[in-house]
C-alpha cells in the first residue's frame, strides 16, 4: 500500500493598486502600484506623509511601483516622511517619469531596506533624482540597479 500526500498552497495572484497613502501598507509578492493621485500638485505612487509616524510599508518581493507624469508634471515614486517609519522591499522595480522626477524620498529618521536586487529607473525633463535620503534616515540595499536620464520634450 502506498500513500501519497499532496500539499497545495494557495497562490495569491498579483494585484494592481492605484496610489497608496497613509501609515501601514502591506503588499503581496509581485503586486503593482500605478500612481493615480496628486499631493501638492505631484503625482505619487506611495505617500507616507509627515503625520503618519512609525509606519511600516512592506512591499514584499518582486513588486513594481510606477509614477508616470509624462513630461509635463512632477512625479514621485515612494515618499517616506513619517518620523521613524520603515520601508521594506526585495527585488523592487521602481519607475518614475516626469518634468521633475524623484524615485525614493526618505526623511525624518526613517529607514528603507530594499533587500537584494531590483531596479530604480528615473527620467526627468528638468531634474531627476533616483534616491534622496535626509533627516538622519538610512538606506540599505544590495545589488540594486539605478538608472537616471533626461527626457526630451
Amino acid at each position: 500500500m502506498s500513500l501519497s500526500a499532496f500539499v497545495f498552497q494557495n497562490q495569491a495572484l498579483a494585484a494592481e493598486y492605484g496610489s497608496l497613502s497613509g501609515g501601514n501598507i502591506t503588499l503581496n509578492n509581485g503586486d503593482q502600484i500605478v500612481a493615480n493621485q496628486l499631493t501638492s500638485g505631484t503625482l505619487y505612487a506611495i505617500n507616507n506623509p509627515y503625520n503618519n509616524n512609525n509606519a511600516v510599508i512592506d512591499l514584499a518581493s518582486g513588486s513594481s511601483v510606477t509614477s508616470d507624469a509624462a513630461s509635463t508634471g512632477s512625479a514621485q515614486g515612494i515618499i517616506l516622511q513619517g518620523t521613524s517609519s520603515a520601508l521594506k522591499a526585495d527585488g523592487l522595480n521602481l519607475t518614475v517619469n516626469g518634468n521633475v522626477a524623484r524615485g525614493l524620498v526618505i526623511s525624518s529618521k526613517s529607514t528603507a531596506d530594499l533587500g537584494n536586487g531590483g531596479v530604480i529607473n528615473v527620467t526627468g525633463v528638468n531634474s531627476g533624482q533616483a534616491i534622496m535620503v535626509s533627516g538622519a534616515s538610512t538606506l540599505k540595499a544590495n545589488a540594486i540597479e539605478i538608472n537616471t536620464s533626461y527626457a526630451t520634450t
Side-chain angles (χ1 to χ4, degrees), residues 17-151:
Y17 300 95
S19 297
L20 300 175
S21 181
N24 297 331
I25 297 170
T26 302
L27 298 183
N28 292 311
N29 293 344
D31 282 353
Q32 300 176 6
I33 299 172
V34 178
N36 65 353
Q37 293 183 17
L38 299 171
T39 183
S40 301
T42 299
L43 185 68
Y44 70 89
I46 297 174
N47 182 22
N48 165 239
Y50 288 109
N51 61 346
N52 282 302
N53 301 328
N54 301 305
V56 176
I57 298 171
D58 186 350
L59 303 183
S61 181
S63 294
S64 68
V65 176
T66 303
S67 185
D68 190 349
S71 61
T72 57
S74 296
Q76 294 189 21
I78 302 170
I79 309 164
L80 192 62
Q81 296 175 323
T83 302
S84 300
S85 292
L87 168 69
K88 180 181 166 190
D90 191 62
L92 175 67
N93 183 355
L94 175 59
T95 302
V96 180
N97 301 304
N99 184 34
V100 175
R102 293 189 177 103
L104 174 60
V105 179
I106 309 162
S107 63
S108 305
K109 300 179 184 176
S110 293
T111 62
D113 183 348
L114 300 183
N116 293 305
V119 62
I120 297 175
N121 292 307
V122 175
T123 302
V125 174
N126 286 319
S127 72
Q129 295 92 26
I131 299 173
M132 298 174 65
V133 181
S134 64
S137 297
T138 60
L139 169 67
K140 179 180 173 185
N142 184 41
I144 190 167
E145 179 182 337
I146 299 172
N147 303 298
T148 60
S149 61
Y150 285 110

